[in-house]
């Protein structure tokens, strides 16, 4: 694996973590982030989401939600998702606050808004290495099923990227065929 | 760099640097590795930026040049003072040339040959240059705007262009202003309309804000001319930005003039117009004399109107008299003074925004024909006109006041806008006078808005206004403006308490309405005016006006919760009345909407479910459930975020499941409620499919009627779903197939009827059904073989010796011999139990295959093929099934074909088929010939001939006679046949 990957969605819970977990299993060098202000998870109603700060451990969220309403959160897939997440890494990370993680070769985003925020943030970062970074947006709906599909597509794409001599030459065709 | 003694090494390093730069720049345009080109292009962008002065940066070098930060933000304008090597002019020429090269890349036809990646990179670089160096706007934007995103493949270019335009749009440099229209148009074409509009609005607000701020600061130095000029700019800018909406604005202006005129003149009591309501005064108090007695005549009049309005309809006549008796100027003043009593947000939204961006910026504020709206319209029009006044300053001085009267009385047909604005200008004088005369300082410092400047512009004309002889005392205003905030709060409280009480009376009023109307937190220039007037009069009657206008309450979450539940209950409780009155449709929609809006802990769904299920038929339970589900489905699909969509999805599932379960239990077969519901809901979650599966394949072997009814209901639903919901066809088919191999025979039969008679004929399903049936058949064969090898060891020797496939006397008589059945031992009876269960299992698994054989006879052959390899129990089961099946099929050509060439090892089966075919009927000639052929070619067993002996002509029988005699078989059946044949 020659590239370093970042998976970015808004809350670093569902889409990016699904991809993170898959990529990790496949042996990729991968990190994942969210670009939102907070980590938002479904709550008892539309009006009352569960809001956490980035950096709150998944374990903490898991325990918190299990305490609140185990049935509800199990049914809507939140608890299983958190369980998956805490096996991947300890806490959600915010893209904008983790510039110190170093540079990535490929950044995959799963929403146009997130893509724009990543681009904006990259422009604001200190350019030291002057290395190009490939940022690809893969529009994926924020639900469990689509996230799983999105992650598999992302994996296919990145496996193809790895196979190129230089992605700059072939990325166009690669995206078209995808 | 400041050193004048640059040594030669520095010079040579610079020259090498230039070579290096040229080398890289040439790389950027050479075809070759895209990776290298990307970096080279980025390098060129940086070169252009470094070679040109940064208008936002400081033009003086920082004191500490060595620090890294300062070097990063190098600005060429530091070298303005001169530099021995670097010549600013030359560098900027080079930058310009480099930029030209970059731009050429994006021009037709070069752009055609470029990779998408390079195009995106170029767009990003150029837009970065454009926003950082607005001087290049005029060169870069035409090229970017000329790009056709549709010609390139992929969405990347499209997106890059969109972001580029947006970032250019956000540039606040004056050089960027002329491009905004084209940028917004281009964004519209790129289907980023929402974004564009949003950006435009944001910009406009920023712009006007900043201009107004400038305005303020300039006023202090030079009042009239500067502010006028700036206002002109502002208005121009806003016109440009709104572009095509301008014409509609003009139209609206004209209309508003008409509307405005109609208010005071045609004071029609029946319309309940607020202004006309004001006309009913205790007639003795004719306006003119009264107001001269008091210090604030206009405020007094307003107070009087307020008091009259409070009296309601009975005061209409007096209001009319009052209005007709006072002069037009005074009336205008009253209206404008009254305007201050409005909540701050209304004039701002309807007036300011409307003027800038046309109608529609605040939907819901206009439209209804209430008193409130009429007044709003009137006042906001006045406002919008008065804010346009500065443009007309020059012509104002000479304007005769008689014109105003004409305009306001509506006797003149002139509706043009300038005329109107003059009128408003005149009319607004008294309003603004207090601020100017009473010391505008408080207003200025508090809000820093543009209003005071307008005030000052016109302030010197107050003496020319007829009908206003007594100016407002200064000191009163100063005091009141200082105390404004407290009073505003007080009035707010009063309003909310009044409104709350009204809400308590009518809990079914949606609270969202009040949220929409809640005032903006921002304090605008108008709120300043507003507070001024509210305090200056200080009368309780004034406070009545806001009460009419906006029942604004901000409730805490707890209060909301306390209200919401009763609201829902009330609607459901009064359902009968509502339905009788014909409002059930609205009611259903409202209920569904409330369900989504209310927090889950109030359990709105439970309430709704109780309502629905308490009387499903009479409460239009089906319609309401559908509405609720579609609403939830919409929420889930709208996809604003993970949170809401997931919640809505889980609520959807629970709701549907609960309703479905209740319907299943309370409306048994043959009711179609559940059927209809499941067919019409937006989608069926897995839990519903599980429910269906549970209905079609009830657990255990309970055969009670209830269960069977449920199976029928379930299967009929499955059938409807298969017909009407193609996407879940497969899932439904699986349910039906599972039911078709159910252990309970009655259940199985019902499912088989559905599968074989209705589903199997559908071309799309037949293949699946065949595959499934075959799989089950094979699994039955294999499973039983395995089982049997365990249990059949040992004591069952006799059983093994006996005729294969017919070990049990439980079998129905199948025609052939019952040899070996006499030997019933103890050990046999033990294994009998096991084998009977195996038999049942075998039958269960084979039923489906046999059933579809009746529809597709060619499948029958497979049974013959696998027959040999199957276990005893399966063989039994097969033989058990065969008679029914063969009777159903009859001697079809396919069957005869199979019989004429049976697979090896299937003789027993063939025999049984033949027995069944011949049993009780006269065999057809085809069958006879098949059997004879079979005997001649494959089967040398005479038993087969014996079967058909009775049906053969005598000579044929005689020809066969030798075979029969030589036969080793001592069948008891032979003799009678033979005798029969011989005619004995």
């Amino acid at each position: 694996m020659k590239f370093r990957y970042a998976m970015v969605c808004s809350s670093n819970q569902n889409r990016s973590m699904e991809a993170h977990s898959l990529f990790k299993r496949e042996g990729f060098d991968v990190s994942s982030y969210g670009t939102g202000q907070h980590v938002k998870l479904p709550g008892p109603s539309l009006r009352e989401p569960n809001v956490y700060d980035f950096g709150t451990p998944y374990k903490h969220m898991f325990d918190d939600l299990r305490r609140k309403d185990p049935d509800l959160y199990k049914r809507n897939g939140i608890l299983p998702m958190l369980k998956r997440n805490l096996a991947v890494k300890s806490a959600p990370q915010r893209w904008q606050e983790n510039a110190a993680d170093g540079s990535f070769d490929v950044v995959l985003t799963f929403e146009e808004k997130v893509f724009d925020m990543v681009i904006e943030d990259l422009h604001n970062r200190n350019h030291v290495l002057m290395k190009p970074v490939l940022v690809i947006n893969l529009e994926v709906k924020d639900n469990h099923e689509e996230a799983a599909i999105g992650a598999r597509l992302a994996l296919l794409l990145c496996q193809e990227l790895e196979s190129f001599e230089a992605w700059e030459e072939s990325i166009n065709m690669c995206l078209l065929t995808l | 760099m400041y050193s004048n003694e640059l040594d030669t090494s520095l010079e040579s390093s610079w020259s090498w640097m230039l070579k290096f730069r040229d080398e890289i720049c040439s790389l950027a345009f050479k075809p070759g590795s895209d990776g290298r080109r990307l970096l080279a292009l980025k390098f060129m962008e940086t070169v252009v930026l470094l070679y040109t002065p940064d208008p936002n940066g400081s033009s003086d070098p920082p004191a500490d040049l060595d620090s890294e930060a300062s070097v990063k933000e190098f600005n060429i304008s530091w070298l303005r003072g001169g530099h021995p090597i670097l010549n600013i002019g030359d560098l900027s020429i080079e930058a310009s040339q480099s930029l030209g090269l970059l731009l050429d890349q994006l021009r037709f036809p070069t752009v055609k040959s470029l990779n998408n990646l390079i195009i995106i990179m170029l767009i990003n670089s150029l837009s970065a240059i454009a926003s950082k160096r607005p001087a290049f706007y005029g060169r870069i934007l035409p090229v970017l705007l000329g790009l056709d995103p549709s010609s390139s493949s992929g969405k990347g270019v499209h997106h890059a262009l969109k972001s580029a335009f947006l970032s250019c749009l956000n540039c606040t440099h004056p050089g960027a202003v002329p491009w905004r229209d084209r940028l917004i148009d281009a964004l519209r074409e790129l289907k980023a309309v929402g974004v564009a509009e949003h950006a435009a609005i944001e910009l406009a607000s920023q712009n006007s804000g900043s201009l107004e701020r400038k305005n303020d600061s300039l006023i202090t130095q030079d009042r009239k001319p500067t502010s006028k000029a700036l206002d002109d700019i502002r208005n121009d800018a806003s016109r440009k930005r709104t572009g095509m909406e301008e014409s509609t604005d003009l139209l609206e202006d004209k209309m508003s003039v008409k509307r405005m005129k109609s208010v005071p003149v045609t004071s029609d009591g029946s319309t309940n117009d607020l202004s006309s309501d004001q006309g009913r005064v205790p007639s003795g108090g004719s306006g003119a004399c009264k107001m001269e007695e008091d210090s604030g005549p206009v405020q007094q009049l307003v107070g009087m109107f307020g008091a009259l309005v409070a009296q309601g309809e009975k005061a209409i006549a007096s209001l009319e008299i009052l209005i007709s008796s006072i002069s037009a100027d005074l009336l205008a003043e009253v209206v404008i003074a009254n305007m201050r009593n409005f909540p701050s947000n209304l004039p701002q939204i309807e007036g300011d925004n409307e003027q800038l961006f046309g109608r529609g910026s605040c939907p819901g504020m206009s439209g209804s024909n209430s008193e409130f709206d009429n007044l709003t319209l009137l006042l906001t029009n006045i406002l919008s006109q008065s804010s346009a006044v500065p443009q007309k300053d020059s012509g104002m001085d000479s304007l005769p006041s008689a014109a105003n009267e004409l305009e306001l009385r509506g006797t003149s047909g002139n509706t043009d806008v300038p005329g109107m604005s003059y009128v408003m200008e005149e009319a607004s004088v008294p309003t603004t006078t207090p601020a100017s005369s009473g010391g505008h300082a408080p207003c200025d410092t508090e809000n820093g808005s543009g209003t005071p400047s307008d005030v000052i512009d016109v302030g010197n004309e107050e003496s020319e206004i007829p009908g206003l002889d007594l100016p407002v005392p200064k000191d009163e205003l100063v005091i009141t403006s200082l105390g404004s905030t407290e009073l505003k709060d007080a009035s707010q409280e009063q309003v909310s308490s009044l409104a709350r009480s009204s809400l308590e009376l009518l809990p079914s009023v949606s609270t969202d309405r009040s949220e929409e109307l809640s005032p903006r937190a921002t304090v605008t220039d108008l709120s300043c005016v507003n507070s001024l007037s509210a305090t200056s009069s200080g009368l309780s009657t004034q406070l009545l006006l806001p009460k009419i206008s906006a029942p604004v309450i901000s409730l805490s979450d707890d209060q909301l919760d306390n209200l919401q539940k009763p609201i829902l209950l009330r609607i459901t409780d009064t359902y009968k009345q509502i339905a009788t009155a014909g409002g059930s449709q609205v009611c259903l929609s409202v209920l569904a909407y409330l369900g989504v809006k209310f927090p889950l802990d109030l359990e709105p769904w439970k309430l709704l479910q109780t309502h629905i299920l308490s009387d499903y038929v009479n409460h239009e339970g089906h319609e309401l459930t559908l509405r609720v589900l579609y609403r939830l489905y919409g929420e889930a699909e709208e996809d604003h975020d993970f949170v809401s969509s997931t919640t809505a999805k889980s609520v959807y599932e629970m709701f549907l499941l609960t309703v479905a379960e209740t319907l299943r239990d309370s409306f048994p077969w043959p009711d179609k409620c559940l059927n209809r519901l499941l067919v019409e809901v937006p989608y069926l979650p897995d839990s519903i499919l599980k429910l269906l599966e549970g209905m079609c394949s009830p657990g255990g072997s309970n055969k009670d009627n209830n269960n069977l009814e449920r199976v029928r209901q379930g299967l009929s639903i499955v059938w409807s779903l298969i017909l009407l919901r193609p996407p879940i066809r497969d899932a439904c088919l699986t349910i039906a197939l599972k039911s078709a191999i159910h252990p309970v025979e009655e259940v199985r039969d019902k499912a088989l009827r559905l599968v074989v008679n209705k589903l199997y004929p559908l071309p799309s399903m037949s293949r699946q059904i065949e595959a499934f049936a075959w799989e089950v058949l094979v699994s039955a064969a294999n499973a039983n073989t395995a089982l049997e090898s365990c249990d059949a060891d040992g004591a069952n020797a006799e059983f093994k010796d006996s005729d294969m496939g017919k070990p049990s006397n439980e079998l129905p008589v199948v025609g052939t011999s019952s040899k070996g059945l006499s030997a019933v031992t103890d050990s046999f009876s033990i294994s009998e139990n096991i084998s009977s269960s195996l038999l049942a299992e075998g039958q269960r698994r084979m039923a489906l295959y046999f059933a579809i054989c009746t529809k597709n006879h060619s499948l029958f052959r497979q049974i013959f093929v696998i027959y040999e390899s199957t276990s005893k129990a399966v063989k039994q089961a097969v033989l058990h099934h065969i008679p029914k099946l063969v009777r159903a099929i009859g001697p079809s050509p396919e069957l005869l074909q199979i019989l004429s060439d049976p697979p090896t090892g299937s003789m027993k089966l063939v025999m049984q088929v033949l027995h069944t075919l011949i049993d009780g009927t006269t065999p057809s000639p085809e069958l006879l010939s098949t059997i004879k052929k079979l005997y001649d070619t494959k089967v040398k067993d005479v038993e087969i001939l014996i079967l058909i002996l009775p049906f053969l002509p005598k000579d044929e029988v005689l020809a066969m006679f030798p075979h029969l005699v030589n036969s080793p078989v001592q069948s008891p059946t032979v003799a009678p046949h033979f005798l029969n044949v011989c005619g004995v």
Side-chain angles (χ1 to χ4, degrees), chain B residues 961-981:
Chain B
F961 189 66
H963 301 292
L964 293 171
V965 173
N966 293 334
S967 147
V969 183
Q970 293 301 315
S971 170
T973 54
V974 176
H977 282 312
F978 187 65
L979 293 174
N980 191 18
V981 170

Side-chain angles (χ1 to χ4, degrees), chain B residues 894-916:
Chain B
E894 287 97 342
L895 183 57
L896 293 181
Q897 173 69 30
I898 297 167
L899 289 176
S900 63
D901 183 21
T904 48
S906 61
M907 263 327 287
K908 269 276 161 300
L909 198 55
V910 172
M911 286 307 291
Q912 193 182 359
V913 171
L914 292 177
H915 270 289
T916 318

Side-chain angles (χ1 to χ4, degrees), chain B residues 865-907:
Chain B
V865 173
I866 64 157
Y867 181 76
E868 194 195 4
S869 61
T870 56
S871 65
K872 283 175 299 218
V874 175
K875 287 195 171 89
Q876 264 183 57
V878 170
L879 294 175
H880 174 78
H881 270 298
I882 285 293
K884 278 192 236 166
L885 174 62
V886 172
R887 265 180 225 121
I889 298 176
S892 69
E894 287 97 342
L895 183 57
L896 293 181
Q897 173 69 30
I898 297 167
L899 289 176
S900 63
D901 183 21
T904 48
S906 61
M907 263 327 287

